[in-house]
Amino acid sequence: MATTSTTGSTLLQPLSNAVQLPIDQVNFVVCQVFALLAAIWFRTYLHSSKTSSFIRHVVATLLGLYLALFCFGWYALHFLVQSGISYCIMIIIGVENMHNPMMIITQKITSLACEIHDGMFRKDEELTPSQRGLAVRRMPSLLEYLSYNCNFMGILAGPLCSYKDYITFIEGRSYHVTQSGEHGKEEIQYEKTEPSPNVAVIQKLLVCGLSLLFHLTVSKTLPVEYNIDEHFQATASWPTKVIYLYVSLLAARPKYYFAWTLADAINNAAGFGFRGYDKNGAARWDLISNLRIQQIEMSTSFKMFLDNWNIQTALWLKRVCYERASSSPTIQTFILSAIWHGVYPGYYLTFLTGVVMTLAARAVRNNFRHHFIEPPQLKLLYDVITWIATQIAISYTVVPFVLLSIKPSFMFYSSWYYSLHCAGILVLLLLPVKKTQRGKNTHENVQLSRSKKFDERGNSLGQNSFSTTNNVCNQNQERASRHPSLKQ
């Protein structure tokens, strides 16, 4: 029989010993595999067409709390207690000043608090188009609130989703197609055939398998800590140091690819994550996807990396901080991201460095990129140079995030003579910095999502109600508003 404590169940200790992995990691993986199977069962037997939203909410919540209990022991009760306290506070004080120590729960509570505040305590004309689309117009019931925070699909690894998207999924309105009616009002015209997520789930599970294999084999042979090894620092040439820095941080990423892609697959298997159809009519299951691996590894700018890494956290930071900051939104957003991650000094070093790198990269891009658009050969050269610079800068920035402690982090930066810090500051001092326009791009994205109602053959595609929220923030990533985050 499983015994639980603050470190979770020890039922799988023999398996942990056999694979030589910590029991917490084994519990996490096994519970996520169980969640994947439960998601398939949930979609098959508790489909919205077969049972009520009440049953779906109850089952999703109970399964989520059980997984939390198995992984974290009785500490998992904090999920329930703090969620309940937060719910009461939202009712009593109108969802102002919400904070919570748990990362995913914190994201969900603060997101919902802002959405309720926008929908119930602010006038429509005060809202940006994205805030208007996310606004919640009525207070959720306690069951809806607990289900949103503690459902089995996202309680262990997320990803974050908007409250409106989650409720739409539970109530079975994911595939309703709407068209603009008279006077600009949207009316439901018909319900499209529900697409199968099976292909998307299998593809994502293949990515999980490859990422896990890479992590268990290659990653362990390339530790980030070797960057501060005294012998390595004393004997390695600068090209060797640069190459090892990049390769070691590259090898550190597959564990995140595994965890986030598996979490996405679990949600898809339950039927959650559909975001309409592409121009070829293929179903898109990336509504709450948290990363785009190809774009990450081929990033030619700091912004491109941030736009494709931990996407839902970046959107959360944009919605609750960047769009609402009265001054210095980039700095405030990085500080919030550091606080959200925890108390390790390495987090703060990474995010403070990230502020300098982001602002410097933005200044360089704004001042030089337009000179290298034509001819194609010149643009290719520019892309190669900026890819190298971006990968080195990202690796340099996140080393303290991996090392965590203050002493080894400063040892690393000292061994590099704080070179990229100095280069970034010089760039900011010497190049003109263009001020950001936070509302403009969001509005452009809304117009984009509203205008895409016909395919290439002229057939009406309508608008998928399930994807309305994230259309505001996910379409046309290169034109979207800046929303920095380096969460790993």
Side-chain angles (χ1 to χ4, degrees), residues 113-135:
C114 289
E115 290 161 7
I116 293 175
H117 180 68
D118 289 342
M120 299 179 64
F121 299 93
R122 295 177 68 189
K123 298 177 181 178
D124 270 5
E125 55 267 24
E126 297 175 352
L127 306 178
T128 66
S130 62
Q131 290 168 349
R132 197 174 298 118
L134 293 165

mmCIF file of all heavy atoms in Angstrom, residues 113-135:
data_model
loop_
_atom_site.group_PDB
_atom_site.id
_atom_site.type_symbol
_atom_site.label_atom_id
_atom_site.label_comp_id
_atom_site.label_asym_id
_atom_site.label_seq_id
_atom_site.Cartn_x
_atom_site.Cartn_y
_atom_site.Cartn_z
ATOM 1 N N ALA A 113 -8.213 36.248 -11.666
ATOM 2 C CA ALA A 113 -8.493 37.474 -10.918
ATOM 3 C C ALA A 113 -8.532 38.676 -11.850
ATOM 4 O O ALA A 113 -9.440 39.513 -11.776
ATOM 5 C CB ALA A 113 -7.431 37.667 -9.831
ATOM 6 N N CYS A 114 -7.547 38.764 -12.739
ATOM 7 C CA CYS A 114 -7.519 39.881 -13.693
ATOM 8 C C CYS A 114 -8.704 39.816 -14.655
ATOM 9 O O CYS A 114 -9.305 40.849 -14.995
ATOM 10 C CB CYS A 114 -6.210 39.858 -14.479
ATOM 11 S SG CYS A 114 -4.747 40.321 -13.522
ATOM 12 N N GLU A 115 -9.038 38.600 -15.100
ATOM 13 C CA GLU A 115 -10.138 38.442 -16.059
ATOM 14 C C GLU A 115 -11.479 38.809 -15.426
ATOM 15 O O GLU A 115 -12.334 39.431 -16.068
ATOM 16 C CB GLU A 115 -10.150 37.003 -16.579
ATOM 17 C CG GLU A 115 -8.952 36.690 -17.486
ATOM 18 C CD GLU A 115 -8.683 35.205 -17.628
ATOM 19 O OE1 GLU A 115 -9.499 34.399 -17.127
ATOM 20 O OE2 GLU A 115 -7.646 34.841 -18.225
ATOM 21 N N ILE A 116 -11.680 38.416 -14.151
ATOM 22 C CA ILE A 116 -12.918 38.779 -13.456
ATOM 23 C C ILE A 116 -12.952 40.286 -13.200
ATOM 24 O O ILE A 116 -13.994 40.943 -13.377
ATOM 25 C CB ILE A 116 -13.050 37.999 -12.134
ATOM 26 C CG1 ILE A 116 -13.256 36.510 -12.416
ATOM 27 C CG2 ILE A 116 -14.208 38.536 -11.299
ATOM 28 C CD1 ILE A 116 -13.273 35.643 -11.175
ATOM 29 N N HIS A 117 -11.823 40.833 -12.796
ATOM 30 C CA HIS A 117 -11.760 42.279 -12.563
ATOM 31 C C HIS A 117 -12.078 43.055 -13.837
ATOM 32 O O HIS A 117 -12.832 44.041 -13.812
ATOM 33 C CB HIS A 117 -10.369 42.648 -12.051
ATOM 34 C CG HIS A 117 -10.191 44.112 -11.783
ATOM 35 N ND1 HIS A 117 -10.845 44.770 -10.766
ATOM 36 C CD2 HIS A 117 -9.432 45.051 -12.410
ATOM 37 C CE1 HIS A 117 -10.500 46.049 -10.778
ATOM 38 N NE2 HIS A 117 -9.649 46.251 -11.764
ATOM 39 N N ASP A 118 -11.530 42.596 -14.965
ATOM 40 C CA ASP A 118 -11.805 43.260 -16.240
ATOM 41 C C ASP A 118 -13.268 43.128 -16.636
ATOM 42 O O ASP A 118 -13.865 44.064 -17.182
ATOM 43 C CB ASP A 118 -10.925 42.660 -17.351
ATOM 44 C CG ASP A 118 -9.463 43.036 -17.198
ATOM 45 O OD1 ASP A 118 -9.162 43.999 -16.469
ATOM 46 O OD2 ASP A 118 -8.611 42.352 -17.803
ATOM 47 N N GLY A 119 -13.864 41.960 -16.363
ATOM 48 C CA GLY A 119 -15.228 41.709 -16.808
ATOM 49 C C GLY A 119 -16.301 42.274 -15.904
ATOM 50 O O GLY A 119 -17.410 42.571 -16.365
ATOM 51 N N MET A 120 -15.987 42.428 -14.598
ATOM 52 C CA MET A 120 -17.020 42.816 -13.646
ATOM 53 C C MET A 120 -16.779 44.170 -12.973
ATOM 54 O O MET A 120 -17.696 44.713 -12.365
ATOM 55 C CB MET A 120 -17.158 41.732 -12.570
ATOM 56 C CG MET A 120 -17.577 40.368 -13.121
ATOM 57 S SD MET A 120 -17.703 39.075 -11.853
ATOM 58 C CE MET A 120 -19.036 39.717 -10.845
ATOM 59 N N PHE A 121 -15.563 44.676 -13.061
ATOM 60 C CA PHE A 121 -15.251 45.894 -12.318
ATOM 61 C C PHE A 121 -14.658 46.999 -13.189
ATOM 62 O O PHE A 121 -14.274 48.043 -12.681
ATOM 63 C CB PHE A 121 -14.279 45.581 -11.170
ATOM 64 C CG PHE A 121 -14.831 44.605 -10.169
ATOM 65 C CD1 PHE A 121 -14.583 43.247 -10.304
ATOM 66 C CD2 PHE A 121 -15.622 45.041 -9.112
ATOM 67 C CE1 PHE A 121 -15.086 42.345 -9.382
ATOM 68 C CE2 PHE A 121 -16.128 44.138 -8.199
ATOM 69 C CZ PHE A 121 -15.869 42.775 -8.334
ATOM 70 N N ARG A 122 -14.568 46.768 -14.488
ATOM 71 C CA ARG A 122 -14.061 47.802 -15.379
ATOM 72 C C ARG A 122 -15.022 47.979 -16.551
ATOM 73 O O ARG A 122 -15.740 47.050 -16.926
ATOM 74 C CB ARG A 122 -12.663 47.426 -15.910
ATOM 75 C CG ARG A 122 -11.596 47.351 -14.853
ATOM 76 C CD ARG A 122 -10.262 46.909 -15.448
ATOM 77 N NE ARG A 122 -9.703 47.923 -16.342
ATOM 78 C CZ ARG A 122 -8.643 47.709 -17.118
ATOM 79 N NH1 ARG A 122 -8.054 46.522 -17.139
ATOM 80 N NH2 ARG A 122 -8.187 48.669 -17.883
ATOM 81 N N LYS A 123 -15.005 49.166 -17.131
ATOM 82 C CA LYS A 123 -15.842 49.437 -18.285
ATOM 83 C C LYS A 123 -15.173 48.911 -19.550
ATOM 84 O O LYS A 123 -13.948 48.886 -19.651
ATOM 85 C CB LYS A 123 -16.098 50.948 -18.416
ATOM 86 C CG LYS A 123 -16.843 51.559 -17.230
ATOM 87 C CD LYS A 123 -17.008 53.062 -17.396
ATOM 88 C CE LYS A 123 -17.727 53.663 -16.208
ATOM 89 N NZ LYS A 123 -17.860 55.146 -16.331
ATOM 90 N N ASP A 124 -15.972 48.515 -20.508
ATOM 91 C CA ASP A 124 -15.448 47.952 -21.753
ATOM 92 C C ASP A 124 -14.484 48.902 -22.457
ATOM 93 O O ASP A 124 -13.485 48.464 -23.025
ATOM 94 C CB ASP A 124 -16.592 47.586 -22.701
ATOM 95 C CG ASP A 124 -17.069 46.159 -22.491
ATOM 96 O OD1 ASP A 124 -16.563 45.516 -21.553
ATOM 97 O OD2 ASP A 124 -17.937 45.704 -23.244
ATOM 98 N N GLU A 125 -14.784 50.177 -22.427
ATOM 99 C CA GLU A 125 -13.933 51.129 -23.136
ATOM 100 C C GLU A 125 -12.565 51.286 -22.480
ATOM 101 O O GLU A 125 -11.638 51.823 -23.081
ATOM 102 C CB GLU A 125 -14.617 52.493 -23.246
ATOM 103 C CG GLU A 125 -15.076 53.096 -21.929
ATOM 104 C CD GLU A 125 -16.523 52.746 -21.599
ATOM 105 O OE1 GLU A 125 -17.015 51.720 -22.096
ATOM 106 O OE2 GLU A 125 -17.155 53.524 -20.849
ATOM 107 N N GLU A 126 -12.425 50.811 -21.246
ATOM 108 C CA GLU A 126 -11.137 50.877 -20.561
ATOM 109 C C GLU A 126 -10.238 49.697 -20.920
ATOM 110 O O GLU A 126 -9.046 49.702 -20.606
ATOM 111 C CB GLU A 126 -11.346 50.891 -19.042
ATOM 112 C CG GLU A 126 -12.114 52.098 -18.517
ATOM 113 C CD GLU A 126 -12.396 51.987 -17.030
ATOM 114 O OE1 GLU A 126 -12.124 50.913 -16.460
ATOM 115 O OE2 GLU A 126 -12.888 52.967 -16.448
ATOM 116 N N LEU A 127 -10.796 48.677 -21.581
ATOM 117 C CA LEU A 127 -10.069 47.440 -21.840
ATOM 118 C C LEU A 127 -9.432 47.450 -23.221
ATOM 119 O O LEU A 127 -9.952 48.051 -24.164
ATOM 120 C CB LEU A 127 -11.016 46.246 -21.729
ATOM 121 C CG LEU A 127 -11.812 46.101 -20.436
ATOM 122 C CD1 LEU A 127 -12.730 44.886 -20.520
ATOM 123 C CD2 LEU A 127 -10.877 45.980 -19.237
ATOM 124 N N THR A 128 -8.311 46.766 -23.335
ATOM 125 C CA THR A 128 -7.732 46.498 -24.652
ATOM 126 C C THR A 128 -8.555 45.389 -25.305
ATOM 127 O O THR A 128 -9.312 44.674 -24.627
ATOM 128 C CB THR A 128 -6.277 46.049 -24.529
ATOM 129 O OG1 THR A 128 -6.230 44.772 -23.869
ATOM 130 C CG2 THR A 128 -5.443 47.052 -23.738
ATOM 131 N N PRO A 129 -8.441 45.217 -26.613
ATOM 132 C CA PRO A 129 -9.181 44.130 -27.265
ATOM 133 C C PRO A 129 -8.884 42.759 -26.664
ATOM 134 O O PRO A 129 -9.794 41.935 -26.521
ATOM 135 C CB PRO A 129 -8.716 44.219 -28.719
ATOM 136 C CG PRO A 129 -8.356 45.653 -28.912
ATOM 137 C CD PRO A 129 -7.768 46.085 -27.608
ATOM 138 N N SER A 130 -7.632 42.492 -26.302
ATOM 139 C CA SER A 130 -7.302 41.195 -25.720
ATOM 140 C C SER A 130 -7.946 41.026 -24.355
ATOM 141 O O SER A 130 -8.469 39.955 -24.023
ATOM 142 C CB SER A 130 -5.783 41.031 -25.603
ATOM 143 O OG SER A 130 -5.224 42.005 -24.748
ATOM 144 N N GLN A 131 -7.937 42.086 -23.530
ATOM 145 C CA GLN A 131 -8.574 42.009 -22.219
ATOM 146 C C GLN A 131 -10.076 41.831 -22.343
ATOM 147 O O GLN A 131 -10.686 41.097 -21.557
ATOM 148 C CB GLN A 131 -8.254 43.284 -21.424
ATOM 149 C CG GLN A 131 -6.797 43.378 -21.000
ATOM 150 C CD GLN A 131 -6.429 44.757 -20.470
ATOM 151 O OE1 GLN A 131 -7.207 45.715 -20.599
ATOM 152 N NE2 GLN A 131 -5.242 44.877 -19.898
ATOM 153 N N ARG A 132 -10.667 42.464 -23.352
ATOM 154 C CA ARG A 132 -12.102 42.328 -23.572
ATOM 155 C C ARG A 132 -12.456 40.890 -23.959
ATOM 156 O O ARG A 132 -13.469 40.352 -23.525
ATOM 157 C CB ARG A 132 -12.544 43.304 -24.669
ATOM 158 C CG ARG A 132 -14.050 43.559 -24.712
ATOM 159 C CD ARG A 132 -14.389 44.652 -25.722
ATOM 160 N NE ARG A 132 -13.776 45.923 -25.363
ATOM 161 C CZ ARG A 132 -12.894 46.559 -26.115
ATOM 162 N NH1 ARG A 132 -12.523 46.062 -27.284
ATOM 163 N NH2 ARG A 132 -12.381 47.705 -25.716
ATOM 164 N N GLY A 133 -11.605 40.262 -24.755
ATOM 165 C CA GLY A 133 -11.863 38.888 -25.159
ATOM 166 C C GLY A 133 -11.707 37.888 -24.028
ATOM 167 O O GLY A 133 -12.367 36.846 -24.004
ATOM 168 N N LEU A 134 -10.844 38.188 -23.066
ATOM 169 C CA LEU A 134 -10.587 37.277 -21.953
ATOM 170 C C LEU A 134 -11.496 37.534 -20.756
ATOM 171 O O LEU A 134 -11.564 36.705 -19.849
ATOM 172 C CB LEU A 134 -9.130 37.417 -21.500
ATOM 173 C CG LEU A 134 -8.050 36.960 -22.467
ATOM 174 C CD1 LEU A 134 -6.694 37.490 -22.039
ATOM 175 C CD2 LEU A 134 -8.011 35.446 -22.551
ATOM 176 N N ALA A 135 -12.185 38.666 -20.730
ATOM 177 C CA ALA A 135 -12.939 39.091 -19.551
ATOM 178 C C ALA A 135 -14.005 38.068 -19.165
ATOM 179 O O ALA A 135 -14.713 37.525 -20.007
ATOM 180 C CB ALA A 135 -13.584 40.448 -19.807
#
